[in-house]
Amino acid sequence: MKIQKVLGMMSGTSLDGLDLAYCHFWESESGWEFKIEKTKEIGYSKDWRDRLKNAIRMSNEAHAELDLVYGEWLGEQARIFIEESDIPVDFIASHGHTSHHRPEDGVTFQLGNGQVLADSSNLQVICDFRSQDVKLGGQGAPLVPIGDSLLFNSYDFCLNLGGISNVSFQRDGKRIAFDIGMANMPLNYITEQMGLAYDEDGQIASKGKIDKDLLAKLNGLAYYDLPHPKSTGYEWFIAKVLPLLKASKSSNQDLLHTLIHHNCIQIAKAIHRHVTNPKNKLLTTGGGALNSFFIAVLQEHLGPTVEVVIPSKTLIAYKEALVFAFMGVLRSQQKINVLSSVTGADSDSVSGAIFQPQGIN
Ligand SMILES: Nc1ncnc2c1ncn2[C@@H]1O[C@H](COP(=O)(O)OP(=O)(O)OP(=O)(O)O)[C@@H](O)[C@H]1O
Ligand SMILES: CC(=O)N[C@H]1[C@@H]2OC[C@@H](O2)[C@@H](O)[C@@H]1O[C@H](C)C(=O)O
């Protein structure tokens, strides 16, 4: 039994920080197995958060420069983590940070240059998991469903509550998945105005009340009626959601309360549409799983047919980094790691660019 030892690196849309998950993978008679051996979250400084957030508006030159500088920073973080944990690593699988995602225009870009990362960590790097799928006409997202299908198939549904919410499930022998809409992105936008990183356990939101007008407008956003495959991101938030929040006269408390109900209504709607069993287990991960008010409202909207299952804090926080590490393993073995049933691409693919260190450091 060969164990693959991989460092997965992930920076998500909520811009809270970089997740590092050192994982072991091996194949048994019952399929793929994994263990998350060591983890670390490196919170972004205000400077990094601002640079990554503003990448969407940068000139090509500034964007290219940021790609290199961020790749170097990722390499440094990997090096420090590996040294302090004293772990043998076969290779790094890095998602990077999405700066642009407009698959309809054939565009997706994850910052964190692979060659620079390989050189500064002195390890083989697999990255750029999305662009081949977009070239094949797919959404390039979500990608974690390959992991849901091969590592978490005992659950009826897998839900991620990051900046964006997405869901995945098996239907007629195929994995289906899509971005439902928002999760923490608009909540963090509001709490940022209040000088807070986020609303711990939804304490502020829980004291608010529903702004009915805003709720109706949010629920009326056209994205929700699009059929899957579909994916969304910061561009949609800025163009369609932010103007609605800015136009509302409600207090921050009421905005947070309304946004959580809105998110949960849309999540429940998306899941109910695909429920086929009387009882379903919904594995729920991503930072939103730590927000007890969000989870209580979600369970209320889902009702008794769908049970929200909250796993360990490690899995909540590091499932995405784990799955990108796993996608690296599949890539290194020339196995399919991006599913066209999820993304709508012309075909499944073995995605990810491979970079070898050139011994510069
Ligand atoms: N205790 C908590 N109470 C409330 N919210 C929390 C708590 N812990 C984390 N969060 C929320 O979770 C967010 C981080 O979630 P996560 O790390 O899953 O997002 P991400 O991976 O960046 O997003 P995506 O999956 O969309 O790329 C924080 O920004 C915060 O909004
Ligand atoms: C383009 C991009 O980075 N999309 C992210 C984002 O964050 C959540 C959601 O939107 C999902 O589609 C995806 O990330 C996860 C990790 C995925 O690909 O499964």
Side-chain angles (χ1 to χ4, degrees), residues 10-14 95-103 107-110 130 139-146 148 160-166 177-181 185 223 230-235 319-321 323-324 327 342:
M10 172 74 201
S11 174
T13 55
S14 64
H95 172 266
H97 187 85
T98 297
S99 57
H100 293 272
H101 186 65
R102 295 183 302 284
V107 175
T108 188
F109 195 92
Q110 282 68 47
R130 301 191 192 273
Q139 291 289 309
L143 300 186
V144 168
I146 184 77
D148 296 343
N160 172 56
L161 298 176
I164 299 287
S165 57
N166 50 51
F178 52 92
D179 287 348
I180 297 170
M185 195 180 280
Y223 178 80
K230 59 178 176 176
S231 67
T232 189
Y234 190 51
E235 281 97 333
K319 177 167 169 255
E320 290 184 338
V323 173
F324 277 93
M327 288 177 68
V342 169

Side-chain angles (χ1 to χ4, degrees), residues 30-32 143-155 158 168-170 173-176 319 323 326 330 339 341-342:
S30 52
W32 280 104
L143 300 186
V144 168
I146 184 77
D148 296 343
S149 148
L150 297 175
L151 305 176
F152 297 99
N153 67 3
S154 60
Y155 294 93
C158 293
S168 111
F169 50 92
Q170 205 72 13
K174 282 186 189 158
R175 182 74 16 186
I176 305 293
K319 177 167 169 255
V323 173
F326 180 56
L330 295 175
L339 299 171
S341 63
V342 169

Side-chain angles (χ1 to χ4, degrees), residues 5-7 22 82 87-92 123-124:
K5 300 170 180 145
V6 188
L7 174 57
Y22 173 62
I82 291 167
I87 42 178
V89 177
D90 294 334
F91 61 86
I92 290 174
L123 282 165
Q124 177 180 294

Side-chain angles (χ1 to χ4, degrees), residues 151-224:
L151 305 176
F152 297 99
N153 67 3
S154 60
Y155 294 93
D156 302 288
F157 294 89
C158 293
L159 174 70
N160 172 56
L161 298 176
I164 299 287
S165 57
N166 50 51
V167 67
S168 111
F169 50 92
Q170 205 72 13
R171 263 318 148 266
D172 305 324
K174 282 186 189 158
R175 182 74 16 186
I176 305 293
F178 52 92
D179 287 348
I180 297 170
M182 291 168 293
N184 294 303
M185 195 180 280
L187 305 179
N188 288 356
Y189 174 83
I190 305 288
T191 53
E192 208 171 285
Q193 321 285 308
M194 305 166 78
L196 297 169
Y198 57 84
D199 176 15
E200 179 94 41
D201 294 338
Q203 284 173 37
I204 305 170
S206 68
K207 298 189 190 95
K209 56 182 187 321
I210 289 183
D211 171 340
K212 284 192 187 149
D213 182 50
L214 175 64
L215 183 64
K217 285 184 179 138
L218 289 168
N219 284 335
L221 288 167
Y223 178 80
Y224 296 119

Side-chain angles (χ1 to χ4, degrees), residues 32-45:
W32 280 104
E33 313 268 353
F34 71 90
K35 187 155 184 274
I36 303 178
E37 292 281 334
K38 273 206 187 301
T39 59
K40 182 176 182 184
E41 185 191 356
I42 301 160
Y44 284 130
S45 62

